[in-house]
Amino acid sequence: MVGYVIYGRGSFNQLDEILTPRRQAGGRQGDAPMVFLVDHFFEHQPLAQRIPLRGRDKIVFVDVTYEPKTAYVDQLAGELKQEFGTVSGIIGIGGGSAMDLAKAVSLMMTNPGSSADYQGWDLVKQPGVYKVGIPTLSGTGAEVSRTTVLTGPTKKLGMNSDYTPFDQIVLDPELTADAPVNQRFYTGMDCYIHCIESLQGTYLNEFSKSYGEKALQLCQEVYVKKQGWDEDSDDKLMMASYAGGMSIAYSQVGVAHAVSYGLSYLLGTKHGIGNCIVFDKLEEFYPDGVAEFKKMVEKNKIDIPQQVTKGLTDKQFNAMIDVSLVMKPLWENALGKDWEKTMTRERLRALYEKL
Ligand SMILES: NC(=O)c1ccc[n+]([C@@H]2O[C@H](COP(=O)([O-])OP(=O)(O)OC[C@H]3O[C@@H](n4cnc5c(N)ncnc54)[C@H](O)[C@@H]3O)[C@@H](O)[C@H]2O)c1
Ligand SMILES: [Fe+2]
């Protein structure tokens, strides 16, 4: 779990105070810097000016055009090791992509080899350097989860480990205020889908249920009950993301995630929108959730892309199916221990063809 959590409008202003006791001596020139990995969207935004730089601290604007790849993580960690030897901490500021990059780079500052070697469950053996997550979009739960999702040479799979969670997170709903409506919806639905998949999964327990129910209720208030968007929506969705992430931390996601990983691996479809494309077609698995999802799509006037797999070759369908079936815990959570008997390649192919 995340060690320290701070929540509230304007809490970003406390970042300097939060980092000060974590600054360490060491590195090539005596002081090990803090390195801020910031979503490139903020390069020319006022937020970049508010980052509390000291000494040799550095801001790296990270490219999140594509979701994080193992090669990019290795490159970032390699450059930092070369420039500084060691750093005091890595602070990720942005959506799920920038936060995941920060988690992975922190781990690769201390673990040998390539981040691709650690895609899986509990393969990371060393704690990373101190790491802080500061979300600017709400929904992924990456701020609390024990994974960082990476696309590697052969698979799209996270570095799931006890060393992956942030040491500190700063939840400031003001930072999400200017997110584009569509993006905010897709990322918000990631949270909604986490809740449904967790609450309807076979891994469910009271811990996951307690958080999942609260997150679901907050999502419903924001997307079903409220008219329009205001500060209260940002406040609620940030806590929904947190609670939704806590819910899956002790259970798992399900069919939508397992299928959308394949889509993203082959077509580069982003996580939030990919989950929406898939969830839209999952009535047979999550009838109530999908019915409510369709209502939210309509009420919020969002377009969900259709026919994205039209015209793909057998080889391409097989590539997606292969990636999806690697996600064994997700399928087991969704369908139970005997999932391999019911989720055949043919059935999965038919599902991909519907998207
Ligand atoms: N680690 C986990 O547990 C976990 C869980 C779910 C998803 N993820 C990962 O999170 C990523 C998806 O994250 P996401 O949906 O937050 O989107 P994202 O981080 O990919 O960002 C989407 C777009 O929004 C922009 N953006 C970010 N904040 C903004 C703001 N405040 N205003 C305007 N634009 C802004 C970004 O520059 C980018 O163009 C995927 O890589 C996915 O694999 C991780
Ligand atoms: Fe997700």
Side-chain angles (χ1 to χ4, degrees):
M1 288 168 75
V2 173
Y4 294 83
V5 180
I6 176 170
Y7 170 86
R9 299 196 149 262
S11 57
F12 185 81
N13 295 333
Q14 279 166 265
L15 188 55
D16 191 32
E17 215 179 306
I18 290 168
L19 297 179
T20 299
R22 303 294 183 152
R23 292 182 176 279
Q24 290 173 1
R28 300 247 160 78
Q29 287 161 30
D31 64 322
M34 290 288 176
V35 176
F36 300 83
L37 301 188
V38 183
D39 191 313
H40 62 176
F41 168 79
F42 293 103
E43 189 158 5
H44 304 291
Q45 301 291 321
L47 183 67
Q49 307 298 321
R50 294 172 57 203
I51 294 172
L53 296 177
R54 303 215 168 233
R56 293 187 306 138
D57 285 2
K58 180 171 183 167
I59 299 180
V60 179
F61 289 103
V62 288
D63 187 348
V64 297
T65 315
Y66 305 103
E67 294 189 343
K69 292 190 167 49
T70 52
Y72 190 34
V73 169
D74 295 349
Q75 179 204 326
L76 288 167
E79 285 168 4
L80 292 177
K81 277 189 260 187
Q82 196 162 22
E83 185 173 356
F84 300 114
T86 175
V87 301
S88 288
I90 303 282
I91 298 99
I93 305 178
S97 296
M99 286 192 285
D100 273 3
L101 277 172
K103 287 158 112 173
V105 169
S106 154
L107 294 172
M108 294 317 295
M109 293 302 288
T110 52
N111 285 277
S114 161
S115 50
D117 304 337
Y118 303 101
Q119 286 181 282
W121 279 272
D122 302 304
L123 303 174
V124 181
K125 300 294 181 224
Q126 303 286 336
V129 299
Y130 174 71
K131 50 183 163 341
V132 180
I134 309 182
T136 64
L137 282 173
S138 293
T140 65
E143 64 276 23
V144 284
S145 73
R146 77 189 283 283
T147 189
T148 160
V149 184
L150 302 177
T151 303
T154 56
K155 53 195 166 202
K156 181 175 182 197
L157 188 59
M159 294 165 78
N160 297 261
S161 85
D162 284 345
Y163 299 121
T164 309
F166 285 114
D167 297 292
Q168 164 88 53
I169 55 176
V170 176
L171 304 178
D172 183 346
E174 271 178 17
L175 305 185
T176 63
D178 300 323
V181 174
N182 270 325
Q183 181 64 56
R184 192 168 63 194
F185 184 84
Y186 297 140
T187 305
M189 282 304 114
D190 191 20
C191 176
Y192 180 82
I193 295 168
H194 291 160
C195 297
I196 303 294
E197 291 182 321
S198 172
L199 291 170
Q200 313 233 328
T202 61
Y203 287 7
L204 189 64
N205 51 69
E206 282 309 322
F207 184 100
S208 292
K209 197 172 159 200
S210 309
Y211 284 105
E213 285 175 348
K214 185 66 200 177
L216 183 63
Q217 178 209 328
L218 289 167
C219 287
Q220 287 165 334
E221 282 175 33
V222 168
Y223 286 111
V224 182
K225 295 198 185 128
K226 279 180 88 91
Q227 302 299 331
W229 198 272
D230 56 13
E231 288 188 353
D232 179 63
S233 315
D234 284 320
D235 291 357
K236 287 195 161 74
L237 198 57
M238 192 158 267
M239 281 320 295
S241 177
Y242 177 89
M246 288 299 286
S247 178
I248 46 173
Y250 233 118
S251 63
Q252 250 307 344
V253 285
V255 182
H257 278 75
V259 175
S260 95
Y261 270 53
L263 209 57
S264 145
Y265 182 79
L266 185 76
L267 303 176
T269 315
K270 292 194 140 205
H271 187 78
I273 192 168
N275 281 346
C276 288
I277 292 169
V278 177
F279 197 66
D280 194 41
K281 303 286 187 279
L282 294 185
E283 290 95 338
E284 63 180 300
F285 301 99
Y286 307 111
D288 298 342
V290 175
E292 187 167 64
F293 169 79
K294 286 180 187 291
K295 266 191 233 155
M296 293 188 285
V297 169
E298 202 186 307
K299 178 164 189 251
N300 293 276
K301 302 190 179 64
I302 304 291
D303 287 327
I304 305 297
Q306 304 291 327
Q307 302 199 317
V308 296
T309 58
K310 200 175 168 191
L312 293 182
T313 63
D314 284 348
K315 197 174 161 212
Q316 289 175 312
F317 276 109
N318 281 328
M320 291 192 291
I321 293 167
D322 289 341
V323 169
S324 180
L325 291 177
V326 170
M327 316 300 297
K328 292 177 192 293
L330 283 66
W331 287 111
E332 185 179 301
N333 175 45
L335 306 174
K337 286 220 176 307
D338 287 335
W339 67 271
E340 276 163 308
K341 291 194 188 120
T342 50
M343 188 42 74
T344 57
R345 291 185 76 88
E346 294 70 37
R347 189 173 176 204
L348 189 49
R349 163 91 186 231
L351 185 51
Y352 272 117
E353 283 180 9
K354 270 207 227 167
L355 307 180

